[in-house]
Amino acid sequence: MLFWRTITQIFFREVRPRGAFNIPREGPVIFVGAPHNNQFLDPLLLSLEVYKETHRHVQFLTAAKSMERKAVGFFARLMDSIPVSRAADSAKPGAGRIWISPDDACLVLGEGTKFLTEFSPRMQIMLPKSVNSALAEVSEVISDTEIRVKKEFGGESGKGTARIREKLSELRSEGLAGFEYKKLLFVDQQEMYRHVYECLNKGGSIGIFPEGGSHDRTDLLPLKAGVSIMALGAMANDPKVQVKIVPVGLSYFHAHRFRSRAVVEFGTALDVPAEYVEMFKQGGTQKRDAVAKFLDLIYDGLKTVTIRAPDYDTLMLIQAVRRLYKTPGQHLTLGQVVELNRRLLEGYVHFKDEPRVQTLRKDVLKYNRLVRDLGLRDHQVPRAQKAGWKTLGLLTYRVLLLVVWTILALPGTVLNGPILILASIISRKKAKEALAASVVKIAGRDVLATWKVLIALGVTPILYTLYAILATVVAARAKVPMKWRIWTPFLVIVSLPFMNYAALKFGEAGMDVLKSLPPLIVALIPGQQRSLDKLKAMRVHLSNEVASLINDFGPTLYEDFNEARILVPSASAPPSSGTSGLWRRKSSTGAVDAQGLGLTHPMTWIDERLFGWSRSSRRGTSAWSGLADDASRMNSSIPATTTTLSDLYQQVMIKLWRHKNRAVVKAHMPTYNGYA
């Protein structure tokens, strides 16, 4: 586990668990993860967080096709994964073209087809992507040109059938008789279920992503029934086995990017209803109903821990609104950011047809375009100031600081250059291959991070060995004493990881500095001040409108709207027990950063105390102004790092502080509109 944790800590800048207290400490458990947006890293993060909290080992179900690949299969076997054969992995094109009978939606007709030789009952037919790759199970093969399916393509609602008939009309207008199709073999999963039941009977843990495969969509795919069958089957086989289902949501901030952030959220454990187990034992229709009903319960559980946007544009809108809706002076943890996104999305989906919501959407999108046109980011807009000598001095200082961090990061960057280049090229190639072979992926981004990690794991040892050999050759040619020639390769191999990690941290610090330059540059450009003033005024207006909208519509959606706020007045936040200083600075809530400045934001201390750039310095934190009068109202020029306390601990502390300072909270409530 130490090896895998090292890998994730290198790839991700931050991984936060949420609701880890919901993980059962003993007994059989099935961890149900979604959405499956980061192929190989999803199970890795989930299993690491479970092990960190409970020291339980999770066995994951992995596609047999993936385990056949050398790299993925090797690491999947290291994690003791259980192979699962999928019918879609063996899909092959069928002869001729097919269409649905105009009189019977379950009767498939063909031209040039060979149904008698190519199909048998329980096999499946898959239609092309143009009709969402609809599937249907074969129930009877009538002739070479006629076949009957168990249910309509796309479900019994009739919408799928209507879409297929509409597309068929388009094809026939082009002179084509029907659809191309693929045949899927029936896969017997008895061996897989035997492994699962054996693990659960021993009180073990199983991990599964019931969507069936990784994808890069913003919403969940339909869940496969396997997870429901596993839980019900294990309890039906042995009444002593009490299986619990733990829904797990994985939320990424740019999942495929190196040094991104992630939140692993564990929902409340679900018990398997006894009545469903009895129905499962009956077999036939009763069994199918029990599986379907329990699958619905699992889906409802996943809803509580996942962010399910109907499309990418909606997700971007919600994130923009979340940035606008923020209590001045309060910083959210990653877990709180995810929860706020989820609730904002729920509110938007519920009220999206309201005229005020439609107007706000249009204004937010316009604001985003203006911010992008100026080369800024939203969090930089409030800090943009009128140009002056202090602005020029701060820009000069940060440019010099950027040069320093760049020089320090350069050696490691150059040494790791081959890894970065190869990982980028090969991962994009693999993404294109995955996209071509998939019926659910949009851009294939879900495999990018996986291949970046795999390439790095494969290339790094080879590259380090090459550097050790080159260093030894150089030492020999320089006629270094024999003692040091012998030690040279070992010293190189041992020192390279530390050098590269230092370069990584220096590079992050440099990127933070680089991202802080645009507002300074824009402020110094002649004629841009008017645009900045307009943008700042627009942001204030939108923030007020967002808060007003939430206060008006929130209580109608949540009965406990006022009691379950995520954002609370900054004055009500519990004070930090730490002491601020050069390496530990005060956040805007008066708390002290848990991680301190370090290499994360190296310019903050001088910014605030020497240049007096931010409001906090003008109120007394700069070297020229003495101490601040009200620490709870400070607002630093760089956002404070998130706290390392668990979300549960934070919630308890905030409740205690609220109770103690109830009068203060009530006084601020009308101003700081917290949202549930």
Side-chain angles (χ1 to χ4, degrees):
M1 284 296 177
L2 178 61
F3 171 75
W4 293 121
R5 185 162 295 280
T6 302
I7 297 301
T8 56
Q9 286 180 346
I10 291 175
F11 187 85
F12 292 101
R13 187 167 186 170
E14 186 177 10
V15 178
R16 293 289 184 189
R18 193 166 191 266
F21 56 86
N22 287 315
I23 304 175
R25 267 51 181 177
E26 57 184 17
V29 181
I30 299 179
F31 293 95
V32 184
H36 199 4
N37 288 154
N38 220 345
Q39 195 182 39
F40 176 65
L41 296 180
D42 283 341
L44 195 56
L45 291 182
L46 196 160
S47 60
L48 285 173
E49 294 305 325
V50 171
Y51 183 81
K52 178 182 176 182
E53 186 69 20
T54 64
H55 290 282
R56 300 190 65 157
H57 175 66
V58 183
Q59 282 187 270
F60 277 91
L61 273 68
T62 305
K65 183 179 180 181
S66 297
M67 295 190 69
E68 291 172 1
R69 297 175 178 173
K70 292 182 179 179
V72 177
F74 173 75
F75 291 111
R77 283 186 287 274
L78 282 181
M79 297 178 66
D80 200 19
S81 299
I82 300 173
V84 180
S85 298
R86 299 181 300 186
D89 292 336
S90 61
K92 295 181 179 179
R97 288 180 175 269
I98 63 173
W99 63 91
I100 300 175
S101 168
D103 302 320
D104 187 350
C106 291
L107 182 63
V108 179
L109 306 177
E111 181 181 278
T113 52
K114 301 177 182 179
F115 291 155
L116 289 173
T117 56
E118 290 188 343
F119 283 93
S120 61
R122 303 186 75 176
M123 289 180 65
Q124 291 179 300
I125 299 177
M126 179 191 291
L127 297 181
K129 288 185 179 181
S130 58
V131 287
N132 298 323
S133 303
L135 280 170
E137 181 182 333
V138 175
S139 61
E140 180 186 3
V141 181
I142 301 172
S143 67
D144 271 337
T145 57
E146 289 185 76
I147 199 170
R148 183 167 292 279
V149 294
K150 198 171 183 179
K151 294 180 181 179
E152 294 184 30
F153 287 94
E156 298 179 348
S157 63
K159 293 181 180 179
T161 302
R163 169 63 181 158
I164 292 170
R165 294 190 192 282
E166 180 183 338
K167 190 64 180 178
L168 179 62
S169 300
E170 295 178 10
L171 290 176
R172 289 185 170 171
S173 65
E174 297 172 2
L176 299 174
F179 297 101
E180 293 180 339
Y181 65 99
K182 291 183 178 181
K183 51 183 181 178
L184 279 65
L185 298 175
F186 169 72
V187 179
D188 188 356
Q189 302 286 12
Q190 292 304 312
E191 184 66 16
M192 180 270 293
Y193 283 115
R194 185 182 68 79
H195 283 294
V196 171
Y197 293 153
E198 182 179 342
C199 176
L200 294 176
N201 288 340
K202 294 178 180 178
S205 303
I206 292 292
I208 183 173
F209 291 89
E211 294 171 286
S214 64
H215 62 92
D216 51 355
R217 294 177 177 269
T218 56
D219 201 354
L220 298 182
L221 297 178
L223 305 187
K224 307 294 183 183
V227 60
S228 184
I229 296 173
M230 290 172 195
L232 294 171
M235 293 184 63
N237 294 337
D238 187 351
K240 296 180 181 179
V241 175
Q242 296 296 317
V243 179
K244 289 186 178 295
I245 305 291
V246 177
V248 185
L250 294 107
S251 301
Y252 295 96
F253 298 79
H254 308 294
H256 60 288
R257 292 184 183 176
F258 182 58
R259 302 303 287 171
S260 56
R261 292 177 168 88
V263 174
V264 183
E265 182 171 358
F266 297 90
T268 304
L270 306 175
D271 293 315
V272 182
E275 59 269 25
Y276 291 170
V277 178
E278 293 301 319
M279 291 172 62
F280 187 86
K281 291 178 181 179
Q282 299 300 320
T285 304
Q286 292 274 15
K287 179 179 178 179
R288 287 194 294 272
D289 289 344
V291 170
K293 289 179 179 179
F294 189 51
L295 194 63
D296 289 339
L297 285 180
I298 295 173
Y299 186 75
D300 290 339
L302 285 173
K303 286 180 182 179
T304 65
V305 293
T306 55
I307 299 174
R308 301 170 300 105
D311 52 62
Y312 182 76
D313 291 339
T314 300
L315 183 60
M316 293 299 100
L317 174 69
I318 293 302
Q319 291 182 356
V321 170
R322 186 255 304 160
R323 288 191 295 269
L324 290 168
Y325 179 67
K326 181 179 178 183
T327 301
Q330 185 178 28
H331 299 290
L332 302 181
T333 65
L334 280 182
Q336 289 171 327
V337 168
V338 171
E339 180 64 19
L340 187 56
N341 280 341
R342 182 182 301 121
R343 297 184 185 185
L344 287 171
L345 181 59
E346 184 178 354
Y348 173 76
V349 171
H350 192 273
F351 296 109
K352 63 181 180 181
D353 295 327
E354 292 286 338
R356 286 180 63 190
V357 176
Q358 291 290 330
T359 301
L360 181 63
R361 175 190 172 99
K362 182 179 67 175
D363 292 342
V364 169
L365 293 177
K366 181 181 178 181
Y367 167 77
N368 283 345
R369 286 194 299 270
L370 291 174
V371 172
R372 187 170 60 250
D373 291 343
L374 284 175
L376 301 177
R377 300 192 178 196
D378 174 70
H379 71 271
Q380 296 172 329
V381 173
R383 297 202 308 270
Q385 302 291 327
K386 186 176 181 179
W389 287 108
K390 192 175 291 185
T391 305
L392 181 60
L394 182 58
L395 177 61
T396 304
Y397 155 68
R398 288 190 178 176
V399 170
L400 292 175
L401 189 60
L402 178 60
V403 172
V404 172
W405 291 132
T406 301
I407 293 173
L408 292 173
L410 191 58
T413 304
V414 172
L415 290 174
N416 287 308
I419 300 175
L420 300 175
I421 294 172
L422 281 175
S424 178
I425 294 174
I426 296 177
S427 63
R428 292 183 184 279
K429 179 182 177 182
K430 292 296 183 180
K432 290 181 180 179
E433 293 176 359
L435 180 61
S438 174
V439 297
V440 297
K441 301 183 192 298
I442 297 176
R445 291 183 176 180
D446 54 300
V447 304
L448 285 173
T450 293
W451 282 102
K452 286 177 181 178
V453 171
L454 292 176
I455 296 303
L457 288 175
V459 176
T460 300
I462 298 173
L463 193 63
Y464 283 13
T465 302
L466 178 61
Y467 288 149
I469 294 172
L470 290 175
T472 305
V473 171
V474 171
R477 289 190 176 184
K479 297 181 180 180
V480 173
M482 182 58 65
K483 176 184 177 181
W484 292 109
R485 294 185 199 180
I486 295 173
W487 278 103
T488 295
F490 300 103
L491 291 174
V492 169
I493 290 178
V494 170
S495 61
L496 277 174
F498 294 99
M499 181 190 301
N500 293 332
Y501 184 73
L504 177 66
K505 300 303 291 182
F506 288 135
E508 282 185 353
M511 287 302 298
D512 289 335
V513 178
L514 181 63
K515 292 174 182 177
S516 72
L517 298 182
L520 302 177
I521 296 172
V522 171
L524 291 171
I525 296 176
Q528 288 293 344
Q529 190 59 48
R530 183 178 299 176
S531 298
L532 282 175
D533 292 341
K534 177 182 177 182
L535 198 61
K536 291 171 71 174
M538 187 176 185
R539 192 186 192 285
V540 171
H541 169 73
L542 286 175
S543 295
N544 291 335
E545 182 60 26
V546 167
S548 174
L549 201 68
I550 289 172
N551 281 343
D552 290 345
F553 290 125
T556 65
L557 190 62
Y558 299 101
E559 293 182 357
D560 59 344
F561 177 74
N562 290 317
E563 291 77 11
R565 296 173 184 268
I566 292 177
L567 293 178
V568 297
S570 59
S572 67
S576 171
S577 59
T579 303
S580 60
L582 176 58
W583 303 112
R584 289 173 65 80
R585 72 179 175 87
K586 280 189 175 182
S587 72
S588 54
T589 60
V592 175
D593 291 349
Q595 298 176 358
L597 288 176
L599 298 176
T600 306
H601 295 299
M603 64 285 208
T604 304
W605 188 78
I606 297 180
D607 279 3
E608 295 193 357
R609 288 161 176 77
L610 184 60
F611 288 95
W613 170 255
S614 68
R615 273 185 302 185
S616 61
S617 62
R618 292 201 304 277
R619 291 183 180 182
T621 61
S622 73
W624 320 119
S625 306
L627 299 175
D629 295 328
D630 185 0
S632 68
R633 294 177 179 269
M634 295 179 188
N635 186 18
S636 63
S637 62
I638 302 296
T641 54
T642 56
T643 179
T644 57
L645 295 176
S646 68
D647 291 340
L648 177 64
Y649 176 75
Q650 286 181 333
Q651 291 171 10
V652 172
M653 291 298 294
I654 288 175
K655 286 181 179 179
L656 290 174
W657 189 254
R658 278 179 177 172
H659 180 74
K660 185 178 179 181
N661 298 273
R662 192 177 301 273
V664 177
V665 175
K666 288 183 178 180
H668 283 75
M669 278 294 180
T671 303
Y672 300 122
N673 301 302
Y675 172 57

